[in-house]
Amino acid sequence: DTEVGFDDAFIQYVIGDWEITLGQNNQVSPMEDRTSSLNIPFNERSSYINAFGFAKIGSIAVTTSGGNWSAGIALQGDDFNNPESTNTSETIGLEGRVTWAPIYDRTPDGYQVLHLGLNYRYRDNAGGPDASNNRGASYRYRARPQTGFGDRFVDTGSIAFAQDSFIGGEFGYQYNEFGMTAEYGVLDATPQSGTTLGSFTPKFQGGYVDFFWSPTGDSRAYNAKDGSWGRVAPKRTLGSDDGIGSIVLGARYDFLDLTDGTMDGGEQKGPTFQVTWQPLNFLKFQADYSHLDIERPNSALSGSADVVTIRSQIEW
């Protein structure tokens, strides 16, 4: 285990509307992963983003954008934090993303945005189709119940997956203090030869839909350059003009299905409710409550999970 690791670690060359990024980055990740963890509206990202392995990764990415659209493609390797002793053959991947905001306007009342996006990724952990050890770390799909700590109740287990392909769609809408975001994705996973799955290629899926309302009239910011959402800036911060800062109420329905045929990774689904108080631009307090149903047809792990998480955040 290491006490210090890489998060963002890249160099970038910009020429006009084009950017070339080399190093640990997530320039072409899906919408929720592309949005900074400082600005996501819930304490945790959705189950499918966590389970399907989206994160900052060593890559060379080429991106471009216009006034209301963006596009990018990345040739990916491995996470800089993985020790080379476990990777005798380097993982390789190709990922691309396009976004378009046919409605994109900012007024004194807030943002008015309609966001559409599409993401595709293919990964191979290298080393050929045989069952030798001369390959990168195999892929495994699993997620916790809307918390960053504790057990993972949905999990494909020790079966080694050698390749996978993912395609996902994105939707976002913001009208001043009202907002909605949603994503859905399907992943096809190819097992390493010699596993109990044989030649069967399971299909997994997941997604979420979120709804938001700010009773204080505040709006989520939108960045059309990379199709991501930014920080809420309170119209009246605490102590100014009798302001109390920004309050946002949100609800999410999240689901992840890792069961297909003989592959019983489980299914996890259910709602999350949250309240956020942001008294100042760079200070935030947030509380989430989740109730998730967990189904594992061939396991004793079926049941439900009730999860409460609390977050205090200050930026500088």
Side-chain angles (χ1 to χ4, degrees):
D1 294 334
T2 57
E3 294 182 0
V4 178
F6 290 102
D7 188 34
D8 286 304
F10 60 81
I11 57 174
Q12 190 175 74
Y13 180 71
V14 180
I15 178 170
D17 294 329
W18 293 83
E19 296 179 352
I20 302 173
T21 307
L22 177 64
Q24 184 96 335
N25 67 84
N26 66 342
Q27 295 292 104
V28 295
S29 282
M31 177 175 61
E32 192 183 32
D33 189 59
R34 188 66 189 123
T35 298
S36 170
S37 59
L38 298 174
N39 302 323
I40 58 176
F42 294 87
N43 285 332
E44 299 292 336
R45 290 190 169 94
S46 58
S47 299
Y48 103 100
I49 288 290
N50 288 319
F52 292 166
F54 291 104
K56 294 168 184 175
I57 196 168
S59 67
I60 178 169
V62 179
T63 57
T64 186
S65 62
N68 66 342
W69 62 272
S70 70
I73 190 169
L75 179 64
Q76 299 171 333
D78 206 353
D79 189 327
F80 282 8
N81 298 299
N82 286 345
E84 287 302 315
S85 60
T86 66
N87 293 327
T88 55
S89 187
E90 188 79 1
T91 295
I92 189 168
L94 184 68
E95 185 172 6
R97 179 176 182 243
V98 293
T99 71
W100 177 45
I103 300 174
Y104 178 36
D105 192 20
R106 185 178 182 183
T107 71
D109 292 326
Y111 283 81
Q112 298 172 11
V113 177
L114 175 63
H115 165 98
L116 303 171
L118 185 67
N119 179 279
Y120 175 81
R121 183 191 67 188
Y122 174 80
R123 298 187 301 177
D124 189 316
N125 72 346
D130 58 43
S132 73
N133 292 321
N134 186 30
R135 57 171 65 243
S138 60
Y139 304 126
R140 181 176 183 175
Y141 312 103
R142 54 184 180 170
R144 294 183 173 95
Q146 291 298 297
T147 174
F149 306 93
D151 294 332
R152 298 175 174 92
F153 299 117
V154 287
D155 186 353
T156 56
S158 59
I159 293 177
F161 290 94
Q163 295 93 27
D164 64 23
S165 62
F166 169 89
I167 186 167
E170 309 170 3
F171 175 84
Y173 180 73
Q174 186 77 35
Y175 188 81
N176 301 331
E177 68 267 32
F178 298 96
M180 173 187 176
T181 55
E183 293 188 74
Y184 171 76
V186 176
L187 183 141
D188 291 286
T190 302
Q192 185 176 322
S193 62
T195 68
T196 57
L197 293 178
S199 60
F200 174 63
T201 301
K203 186 185 297 289
F204 306 132
Q205 60 181 324
Y208 67 90
V209 58
D210 299 336
F211 297 94
F212 309 100
W213 172 56
S214 171
T216 52
D218 298 293
S219 178
R220 291 183 77 189
Y222 179 75
N223 183 9
K225 182 179 179 181
D226 63 356
S228 66
W229 299 91
R231 178 187 299 106
V232 173
K235 292 180 179 179
R236 294 184 301 163
T237 57
L238 182 65
S240 64
D241 299 325
D242 297 322
I244 61 171
S246 169
I247 296 176
V248 177
L249 307 177
R252 154 174 288 187
Y253 183 82
D254 178 272
F255 80 97
L256 174 67
D257 187 355
L258 301 179
T259 298
D260 187 14
T262 58
M263 178 69 254
D264 176 24
E267 183 177 4
Q268 176 175 286
K269 57 187 177 182
T272 296
F273 303 96
Q274 69 90 25
V275 58
T276 298
W277 177 43
Q278 191 173 335
L280 305 171
N281 280 338
F282 300 98
L283 179 65
K284 181 167 73 172
F285 303 96
Q286 193 163 283
D288 292 9
Y289 166 71
S290 302
H291 175 81
L292 299 170
D293 292 318
I294 298 157
E295 299 178 9
R296 295 287 297 270
N298 301 313
S299 169
L301 291 176
S302 292
S304 63
D306 292 281
V307 180
V308 176
T309 58
I310 298 174
R311 178 176 184 173
S312 301
Q313 173 182 307
I314 185 169
E315 302 174 54
W316 63 87

